[in-house]
Amino acid sequence: MSDTTGRVRELNLYRQYFDLVASGTKTIEVRVKYPHLADLAAGDSIRFRIKGSDETCTVNVTRVTEYPDFEALLDGEGPASVNPTAPRDEQLTNIRKIYPPEKEALGALAIRMKLSS
C-alpha cells in the first residue's frame, strides 16, 4: 500500500510576497531548483512563513514546472502570476537580488499554487 498523502514543506517568504500569496493574488512562486525542492510535486503543500515570525500561510501545489532561468520562467508563466504588482523587468531584477547567477544556474522552478481551504 503506497502513501498518496502529499508532503508539507516549510519555506520562508519576504513580507511583500507573503501578503500576495495570502490574498490569493500570487499564484506562482519562484524558487531555485535546490536538491531539497527537486521532488516537489502537485499534491504537496507549502507552509510559507515570514522569517522570524509565527505568521504562516498554507498553499496546495497544483503544478511544478522547471525552466533553465528566471527570464524563461517569467516568459512561460507570465509576470502577473508571479507578482501582479510589479512589471516584468522589475520582477527579474528583484528575483536576481535574491538568487545570484550561481543559484539561477541550478534551474528555476515555477510552483503553481492555490490557497488551502
Side-chain angles (χ1 to χ4, degrees):
M1 182 153 127
S2 65
D3 181 7
T4 58
T5 305
R7 297 156 295 183
V8 178
R9 309 291 179 107
E10 297 233 359
L11 299 175
N12 290 319
L13 266 183
Y14 290 110
R15 163 62 74 184
Q16 67 191 46
Y17 303 119
F18 180 91
D19 290 343
L20 292 171
V21 170
S23 71
T25 58
K26 177 177 171 61
T27 58
I28 297 287
E29 173 62 8
V30 175
R31 294 289 165 144
V32 165
K33 188 181 174 189
Y34 290 122
H36 74 277
L37 293 177
D39 64 346
L40 185 68
D44 290 346
S45 295
I46 299 172
R47 183 177 304 114
F48 288 113
R49 176 180 307 279
I50 298 172
K51 193 170 187 171
S53 85
D54 292 332
E55 200 169 347
T56 64
C57 173
T58 302
V59 298
N60 295 317
V61 175
T62 60
R63 175 177 53 84
V64 179
T65 304
E66 184 177 350
Y67 290 92
D69 57 38
F70 299 131
E71 286 192 59
L73 186 150
L74 287 171
D75 290 343
E77 300 294 333
S81 297
V82 175
N83 182 350
T85 66
R88 181 190 183 281
D89 290 345
E90 182 181 325
Q91 289 184 51
L92 188 58
T93 298
N94 290 339
I95 292 168
R96 286 182 169 154
K97 283 180 185 174
I98 297 169
Y99 299 113
E102 63 273 13
K103 300 294 185 188
E104 184 175 0
L106 297 172
L109 296 178
I111 304 165
R112 179 160 294 277
M113 59 197 172
K114 64 178 182 173
L115 285 172
S116 294
S117 32

